[in-house]
Amino acid sequence: MKVFIPETNSNHFVNFEGTRLLKTLKASLEVSGMDYTSSVVDQFDVVHLISPLDVNKENDALERGIPVVISAMFTESDPSCSFIEYKRDSKEIAVPQKTLNFLNKGDIVLVPSIQAQLFLKESGVNKEILVCPPGIDLEHYTKPSKGQKEVFYRYFREETFKDLVVAVGDYQSTDGMSVFLEVAREFPNILFYYFGPYPIDKASPNIRKTAQTPLKNVKFVGDVPDDVYESALLNAKIFLLPSYRPIGIMSLFEAIASHCQIVVRSQANLGGFLREGRNAYMGEYSETLISLCRDYLNGKISPTTEAAYEELSHYSLESSGKQLKAIYQEVYNVHGFKGV
C-alpha cells in the first residue's frame, strides 16, 4: 500500500506548522515501513490531506475512487491549514461551511483529541472521526546537533547571552500580540520573538500597527528555516500561546520536546493535553497570562517542563505510525479498490 501526502501545504508557508505536520506524518510512516509519495502522477491507494485548501486534491482522489483521510485541527496556528473561524463579533469558534463540506466529502477524519472530536461532531461533521495524536521524534530535540542552539542567535544577529521568550500566532488577532508586548516591556534584557506564518508587513493594517513597537527586544517575524525555529525553541525560557485560537498541537509538542515552559490562554486548550499547574500554566485573561510570565521569569513559580515532557514521551513516531498504518488499511478495505 502507498499513501499520497502533499509535499507542502497549499499556501506554501514552507516551514510553518502545516508543513511541519506533513514532515511528521512522513517520518511516522517511514518508521512503520509504509510507502508514501508526494507526486500526483504516482500510483497510490490512500490520500492523506491536512488543509481545507486541498479541496482539488480531494476531488481528484474521490473521482478516481481513492479513499481520503483528513487530519483536522492539528495546525490551527497556520491559517493555510486552519479548520475553524471566529463567529462575527465573538471569540466563539465555528467550522466554515466550505470546510465542513470538505470534511464530509472525505472518508475518515483524524483529530488530536477527544475535545476536537466532539467539537467537529457538534459542528456537523458526519463522517467517522478518530483521535490520532501526532508522533514526535524526541531525540531530535533532546540531542540536537553540535552548534544547533547557536543557529537562532547567528541568524538574527543577537547576543548569545540573552534569554529568549517565543510566541507563535497566526497574525489574525491583536489579543495575543498585546500580551506579548506587555511582558516584553517588563523584561528589556530578554529577547521576545513572535513567529507568524508570513512577514508582519503582509498582515492587516491593525496587526501591523500593533507590531510597530519601540521596544528594542521585540521582533515579529515570518516564516523561517526549520533549523532557525528549532534553535529558538531550544533556547526559549517560555513558549507563549496568548491567542484565543485553539492550540496548534504540532507547535505545542515541539515546544514541550524542547523543554520550554508552556504558558497558554486557557480558552485555546481545545486539545485538552494541558492541565493548569501540572504540565503548563494557563490563564483566561490577558492580565493572568502577563502575571504568569512575570512570575516564571522572576523565579516565583516552578517549571512544569519535566512533567510535560514525560507525558509527551508516550507520543512516539512508532506509535503514531502503527496507528496510521491500521487506519489506512481499514479505510482502504472499506472505501478503496486495488490500484488507481
Side-chain angles (χ1 to χ4, degrees):
M1 174 179 291
K2 184 178 287 187
V3 181
F4 173 82
I5 298 179
E7 185 64 36
T8 59
N9 63 61
S10 296
N11 267 7
H12 304 295
F13 298 150
V14 179
N15 294 299
F16 209 58
E17 205 171 42
T19 300
R20 298 204 304 274
L21 173 59
L22 293 174
K23 290 179 179 179
T24 297
L25 289 174
K26 293 172 184 177
S28 295
L29 297 189
E30 288 171 2
V31 299
S32 67
M34 284 207 68
D35 291 333
Y36 67 84
T37 181
S38 296
S39 172
V40 294
V41 298
D42 206 345
Q43 289 190 334
F44 40 85
D45 306 289
V46 175
V47 169
H48 192 155
L49 305 174
I50 68 164
S51 169
L53 297 180
D54 284 329
V55 63
N56 289 336
K57 292 184 177 70
E58 179 184 52
N59 290 337
D60 181 65
L62 296 176
E63 286 174 4
R64 297 163 65 187
I66 303 174
V68 174
V69 176
I70 301 170
S71 284
M73 303 197 71
F74 287 77
T75 53
E76 287 302 322
S77 299
D78 189 335
S80 73
C81 298
S82 174
F83 285 78
I84 63 99
E85 66 180 3
Y86 289 108
K87 295 180 181 179
R88 185 179 298 273
D89 301 321
S90 171
K91 292 185 173 64
E92 293 183 23
I93 58 174
V95 180
Q97 187 59 50
K98 286 184 178 180
T99 300
L100 192 60
N101 294 340
F102 173 77
L103 290 167
N104 282 330
K105 281 196 297 184
D107 295 293
I108 193 167
V109 178
L110 308 183
V111 292
S113 67
I114 293 175
Q115 290 84 345
Q117 182 187 53
L118 293 174
F119 171 75
L120 290 184
K121 284 183 178 179
E122 293 170 354
S123 299
V125 176
N126 55 36
K127 293 300 176 73
E128 184 179 6
I129 306 173
L130 292 180
V131 177
C132 183
I136 187 163
D137 183 359
L138 291 176
E139 191 169 301
H140 180 75
Y141 295 90
T142 56
K143 298 179 180 179
S145 59
K146 185 178 179 180
Q148 178 62 12
K149 291 193 71 172
E150 288 73 40
V151 169
F152 164 82
Y153 293 98
R154 292 201 306 269
Y155 187 87
F156 288 109
R157 299 182 181 179
E158 297 284 7
E159 296 170 305
T160 57
F161 62 86
K162 288 190 174 182
D163 288 332
L164 174 67
V165 170
V166 165
V168 169
D170 57 7
Y171 290 156
Q172 301 293 307
S173 169
T174 61
D175 294 325
M177 296 171 66
S178 300
V179 171
F180 188 70
L181 289 169
E182 187 59 33
V183 180
R185 190 171 290 110
E186 295 189 31
F187 294 91
N189 295 321
I190 294 178
L191 300 173
F192 286 76
Y193 271 70
Y194 195 110
F195 289 89
Y198 41 76
I200 192 66
D201 59 7
K202 293 185 178 181
S204 69
N206 191 34
I207 299 293
R208 294 200 305 271
K209 182 178 179 180
T210 300
Q212 291 173 350
T213 172
L215 298 174
K216 302 299 183 182
N217 60 328
V218 172
K219 286 188 179 178
F220 292 91
V221 297
D223 200 16
V224 296
D226 274 354
D227 61 338
V228 176
Y229 180 71
E230 290 175 3
S231 180
L233 293 181
L234 292 172
N235 286 285
K237 293 288 185 181
I238 290 177
F239 184 78
L240 179 61
L241 287 161
S243 172
Y244 288 91
R245 181 177 287 275
I247 293 168
I249 198 73
M250 281 307 305
S251 293
L252 178 64
F253 276 14
E254 291 162 349
I256 292 174
S258 303
H259 283 85
C260 299
Q261 175 58 51
I262 306 300
V263 179
V264 60
R265 195 178 291 273
S266 55
Q267 295 93 324
N269 189 30
L270 187 63
F273 181 81
L274 300 178
R275 296 186 302 283
E276 165 59 23
R278 166 63 183 168
N279 56 11
Y281 288 113
M282 295 188 286
E284 180 177 358
Y285 303 106
S286 296
E287 293 80 4
T288 309
L289 292 176
I290 293 167
S291 178
L292 287 169
C293 291
R294 179 192 302 125
D295 287 349
Y296 184 78
L297 292 172
N298 284 329
K300 293 183 178 181
I301 53 178
S302 300
T304 64
T305 51
E306 289 303 325
Y309 184 86
E310 175 61 27
E311 294 180 30
L312 183 66
S313 65
H314 301 293
Y315 297 87
S316 66
L317 292 177
E318 290 79 7
S319 62
S320 174
K322 184 178 180 179
Q323 188 176 8
L324 287 171
K325 188 174 184 178
I327 290 169
Y328 295 147
Q329 189 62 58
E330 178 65 20
V331 77
Y332 176 76
N333 291 343
V334 175
H335 301 285
F337 66 97
K338 295 180 180 179
V340 294

